[in-house]
Amino acid sequence: RTRTAGRRQAFHDAVDRRGPGVVLATSTDGQKFGGYNSKGWVGLGENRAGLSNFLFAWRRDGGFDKLPKVGGAGMGVVDKPETGPYFGPEGLTIPLFSKSPRRARCKLGPYYQRMPSGGNSMFEGGEGEVALARFQVFVGDWGGEPIPFDD
């Protein structure tokens, strides 16, 4: 198994069937952004609905933009075991592919709300892709309680 395949597997080992989760990323130039997945991941290669999902980005001025799911609940997350997190097919994607393992891509509009300015990327300058310095995923500790949306 390649190192990048190991990253994809590590991502799914950490999140699959563990309920809702938050992705938090920092680009190499200091931008902070991420997404909330209300239904979580299961790694079965399906498109999971999630009307409560949203993306977010901190601005350099200290402000914060929350970008909700638009166009209905469908394709809130594209949940494939061979990739990292995909919020919609293109909203925020961190594919963890071997050719670009530390990259994030963003295209807003079809599945997640555009920026307040009307821009279709939450990355500074409207860039469609950034290099990642840090990538984290947080899921709940259910303490023995039933985990929601684990199927």
Side-chain angles (χ1 to χ4, degrees):
R1 168 164 71 176
T2 68
R3 186 173 171 179
T4 303
R7 288 185 189 126
R8 293 188 300 257
Q9 185 64 48
F11 166 74
H12 282 283
D13 287 348
V15 301
D16 285 356
R17 293 182 164 79
R18 290 191 165 87
V22 174
V23 169
L24 180 60
T26 305
S27 68
T28 54
D29 65 356
Q31 298 177 66
K32 293 183 190 225
F33 54 90
Y36 170 68
N37 177 358
S38 63
K39 301 267 178 100
W41 293 267
V42 293
L44 296 177
E46 61 187 7
N47 299 323
R48 292 177 64 81
L51 190 57
S52 300
N53 293 3
F54 60 88
L55 303 177
F56 54 86
W58 281 272
R59 296 187 308 262
R60 300 268 185 194
D61 67 5
F64 180 86
D65 291 311
K66 178 181 174 186
L67 309 164
K69 174 77 178 75
V70 296
M75 296 186 83
V77 170
V78 177
D79 185 14
K80 294 184 179 181
E82 65 271 15
T83 69
Y86 273 59
F87 287 85
E90 57 193 9
L92 171 63
T93 63
I94 303 174
L96 302 175
F97 290 151
S98 58
K99 64 182 177 184
S100 56
R102 307 276 301 171
R103 307 292 291 178
R105 297 180 184 99
C106 180
K107 182 179 177 188
L108 303 172
Y111 298 94
Y112 286 89
Q113 182 176 297
R114 289 177 174 260
M115 295 296 285
S117 66
N120 70 348
S121 176
M122 67 177 146
F123 304 145
E124 290 178 356
E127 294 295 320
E129 184 173 311
V130 294
L132 294 177
R134 188 171 188 168
F135 167 62
Q136 298 172 284
V137 182
F138 300 89
V139 292
D141 178 356
W142 298 94
E145 293 180 33
I147 299 172
F149 311 113
D150 68 343
D151 56 356

